[in-house]
């Protein structure tokens, strides 16, 4: 049962899947087909710039390598593959596989 004090937390929790689900609508309806790297860039760049603006610091020492590995795996590999799948699969199938 959701009480009044849990309502903001519940709404915030529901927001993440809602935003994630828009990936398929945006990919199939708004973005040019066949450009998964561009779509991944559009998805990741605003968040990265916002994080940089908030922290105003760059990685130091060993964190450069860690940030590079995470960036390549998340931005360079996962997001383009996500957008390739979103272009090729129907939204319901993609949502089921994502769940």
């Amino acid at each position: 049962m959701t009480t009044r004090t849990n309502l903001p937390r519940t709404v915030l929790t529901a927001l993440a899947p809602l935003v994630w689900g828009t990936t398929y609508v945006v990919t199939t309806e708004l973005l040019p087909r066949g450009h998964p790297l561009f779509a991944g860039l559009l998805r990741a760049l605003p968040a990265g710039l916002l994080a940089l603006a908030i922290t105003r610091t760059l990685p130091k020492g060993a964190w450069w390598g860690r940030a590079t590995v995470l960036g390549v795996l998340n931005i360079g590999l996962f997001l383009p593959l996500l957008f390739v799948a979103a272009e090729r699969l129907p939204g319901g199938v993609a949502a089921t596989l994502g769940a």
Side-chain angles (χ1 to χ4, degrees):
M1 174 163 68
T2 303
T3 62
R4 261 201 138 85
T5 58
N6 289 334
L7 187 60
R9 185 178 300 149
T10 303
V11 170
L12 184 62
T13 304
L15 188 63
L18 180 70
V19 170
W20 185 258
T22 62
T23 299
Y24 304 103
V25 174
V26 168
T27 301
T28 57
E29 303 298 325
L30 302 175
L31 293 175
R33 291 187 62 81
H35 300 285
L37 284 174
F38 178 68
L41 173 74
L42 285 178
R43 180 166 182 140
L45 187 62
L49 291 176
L50 181 65
L52 187 59
I54 290 171
T55 62
R56 296 186 181 255
T57 59
L58 293 174
K60 292 177 178 50
W63 280 101
W64 275 106
R66 294 172 184 159
T68 302
V69 169
L70 287 172
V72 167
L73 291 176
N74 189 22
I75 308 308
L77 187 65
F78 174 72
L79 284 178
L81 290 176
L82 171 71
F83 285 103
V84 167
E87 286 179 1
R88 295 182 181 192
L89 293 174
V93 173
T96 302
L97 291 174

